[in-house]
Amino acid sequence: MGLPDHHLTDGERVVHSFHPHWKRLVGPFLALVLVVAASSAAIYFIPNDYEYSGIARIAVAVVSVVALVLLTFVPYLRWKTTGYTLTTHRFTISTGVLSKSQDDIPLAKVNSVSSDQTLMERVLGSGTLKVESASERGVIDYRDIPKIQTIRADLFRLVEDASDGVVDGH
């Protein structure tokens, strides 16, 4: 995960590289448990003496596999293929399962950095990072950032260093 070394500019180094917070996987995990339990119960309660019991079990299995793919595997792939990388020169957001999208925000173009956390997010240590850049996009919200306070503080420090012309604390 993160930017490969050949994508970094001279003197640029990776400070943080991470996926969205694991809380995004709670819903898909619960869906996995629910689908497996429901399909197991459905297959178990189909009577053996029923004329179409084999077809009914196959139908339950097919519906279960489709539900598992849509409710668990696809959200997991989205989580796994979403990456945030904070370097000494930029903040990069990479997303995409089949096609890839990458946004780079040069730290020199960042005007302000702030964060929001609900009570549950405070307990989990995640939150929403708000980055205001000098572009047409204005304020950009990045949800479910893990270790939000550390990321916000490091991003703010790097933005301050970039505005002072200091790179990497030198």
Side-chain angles (χ1 to χ4, degrees), residues 26-93:
V26 171
F29 177 75
L30 293 175
L32 170 76
V33 171
L34 184 64
V35 168
V36 168
S39 60
S40 298
I43 288 173
Y44 177 78
F45 287 114
I46 294 173
N48 288 332
D49 58 350
Y50 176 58
E51 181 181 356
Y52 300 106
S53 64
I55 294 172
R57 286 186 175 104
I58 290 171
V60 167
V62 167
V63 168
S64 299
V65 167
V66 169
L68 286 173
V69 166
L70 294 176
L71 298 174
T72 63
F73 188 65
V74 170
Y76 171 76
L77 278 180
R78 284 191 186 125
W79 175 83
K80 187 70 173 165
T81 59
T82 298
Y84 302 99
T85 304
L86 176 60
T87 73
T88 52
H89 294 111
R90 58 189 156 159
F91 186 55
T92 300
I93 302 91

Side-chain angles (χ1 to χ4, degrees), residues 94-127:
S94 174
T95 58
V97 176
L98 298 176
S99 62
K100 192 159 185 106
S101 171
Q102 188 165 328
D103 289 331
D104 290 330
I105 301 173
L107 297 182
K109 300 286 185 188
V110 173
N111 294 334
S112 68
V113 177
S114 62
S115 62
D116 287 331
Q117 289 179 291
T118 63
L119 177 62
M120 185 54 71
E121 287 174 331
R122 286 186 72 187
V123 169
L124 296 173
S126 68

